[in-house]
Amino acid sequence: MTMTAYRKLLLEIRKAFPPPVSDPMHDGYVVFSLLRALDQVDALKSDSPLLGRPIEPDFAKAALERLAESGETVEKVVPELVQYLEGMLIWGHPRAQVNVIANPSIAGIIGVVLPALFNPNLCSDESGRRFSEVEARVSAMTAALVGYDPEQAGGLFTFGGTGALLYGARIGMEKASPGSLQHGIREPAVILASEQSHYACRNIAGWMGLGYDQVIRVPSHADNAVDIRALTAAAEETVSQGKKIACIVATMGTTDAFGVDDLQAIRRMRDNLVERHGLDYIPHLHADAVIGWAWSVFDDYDFDANPMQFRGRTLRALANVQHRMRWLDLADSIGVDFHKTGYAPYVSTLFLLRSRDDFRYIVRERETMPYLFHSGGHHPGMYSLETTRSAAGPMSALAGLLLFGKQGFRAVLGNAVEMAEQLREQIGSRAELTVLNHLNSGPVTLFRAYPDDVDTFSVKEQEMTDPQFVEQVRFHNAFNRRIFHRVHAEALAGRGVAIGLTENYRHSAYGEPVVALKSYVLSPFADAEQMDSIIEHVLAARDYVLAEMATEQGE
């Protein structure tokens, strides 16, 4: 019998899939293909924090691409894919300190590869099998770590910190206004958060139908923690106006400065509010701890004995964060990003509830999903926003938890903080530079460079408080932007370090944003040499910009 054309092609295409049954030769081909891809990636590495050349994305060219009539072999596809890594920053490189992006561990990467091979869906254990068990296991481990009762807590993995915020606020909305999930939001409600909170608070308010304007952003102190008096006043005004509080967001490690809200005081304020006004609901309290959760590994660390032998300055910084992070168990829900301080690949975010019974507020009717849940007994798809959820998040998270344990996390986080502290010491020794977030104690340092003859001891206070200083602030903002672009260009050329920039570290008392250079240390490969090189390259960029400015003025 003559084989049809499509069957001939199908037999060839089968070679491009992992075999569904044991086949040593075919399995070997899968492994060989992966190794070949890794070899090609390795050829792009150098001393630079970039892979290959500093190639910019060509979106115009990409828009012209169309699907070919015939496909290619795996051997031809692999280099086509690998080329897109060129110009990518290597987040694990000690000279890449742009933002809160961690390099994943080998175990974490394998945690992504394994589910990619067999494609489970965490909608239900009928499609996720024991991968669903992993999600429950990681939820329990994390619950115990942050102080929840793991037998009462529950969690699910979602699409990022924004997703965790959305779950918290949506549950809170249903608590405050029962039936809103079914019938829509029919009474005014707000979300309370710090002015330093993530912009995702406004994003999720918009997507929920509350609207951006219903996020009340409360002032913060100089340490970037929310002003409890201002938060209390905002909550009181909300209740007096007859509005509901859909959610109170405590930011446990702000993205830029690593400010940590006083969660204990926020919880006390919330409970007093309920009692004082006799509210018929309890406003949901969500801890946006996507960065700060990992400091929970220090909750039972002996800071007096200091068995890991951290330097005094580092020890104090770690203790400072742990002192506030230890109250995470007071929140009704917590957002945890393993792809940040858990060293897992994107995306690995856990939304964790102190009481898993709270999922009942967002559960759907089984009749609306007649094609699901015909076997098994664990069905997160009944209450999750997503029907499709990959197992890569919980698997990579579990890999990190098993790989590091408390001691391993203490070592990598301690090193990150120690490197940040060393950088701050170096900045403090230079008259041209000053640290802005000196009251914060995390792995991120925000700092500014100034022209000659600027008193960097007093300039910060003037910039933040004196309205007569607005033109100088704007000039210094522009000056630091130019320094950043020079440092960035040098990094792309394979020289120097890749640091970040924030356009608004804080607003001054008169409303002007303050631009800052940013070093965010997460790489376990970072050491004192790289921190010293930041000073060297920033100062070189400063001199370069000053020379440019002198030339421009001469013209």
Side-chain angles (χ1 to χ4, degrees), residues 395-423:
M395 281 287 282
S396 58
L398 178 62
L401 292 172
L402 296 177
L403 178 70
F404 294 119
K406 288 184 181 180
Q407 290 288 73
F409 275 117
R410 289 167 183 161
V412 293
L413 294 175
N415 181 70
V417 171
E418 181 145 319
M419 292 304 102
E421 291 296 326
Q422 288 195 24
L423 176 62

Side-chain angles (χ1 to χ4, degrees), residues 173 176-177 185 187-191 210 214-215 238 243-246:
M173 187 70 242
S177 184
I185 297 173
E187 51 189 333
V190 304
I191 294 173
L210 282 174
Q214 304 315 309
V215 177
T238 297
K243 297 180 179 180
K244 297 295 183 72
I245 299 175

Side-chain angles (χ1 to χ4, degrees), residues 347-365:
V347 176
S348 185
T349 295
L350 174 65
F351 171 69
L352 189 64
L353 280 167
R354 184 175 63 240
S355 172
R356 62 174 172 269
D357 287 345
D358 279 357
F359 278 127
R360 73 183 187 276
Y361 290 105
I362 53 174
V363 73
R364 291 186 293 276
E365 296 177 357

Side-chain angles (χ1 to χ4, degrees), residues 7 40 56 63 84 99 134 149 166-167 211 220 246 273 296 338 345 361 379 393 428 468 482 511 546:
R7 291 289 299 179
Q40 293 175 36
E56 293 295 321
Y84 288 102
N99 211 337
V134 171
D149 179 350
L166 180 58
Y167 273 100
S220 60
L273 183 79
S296 297
F338 288 97
Y361 290 105
H379 307 308
Q468 303 300 316
R482 292 181 68 161
L546 286 173

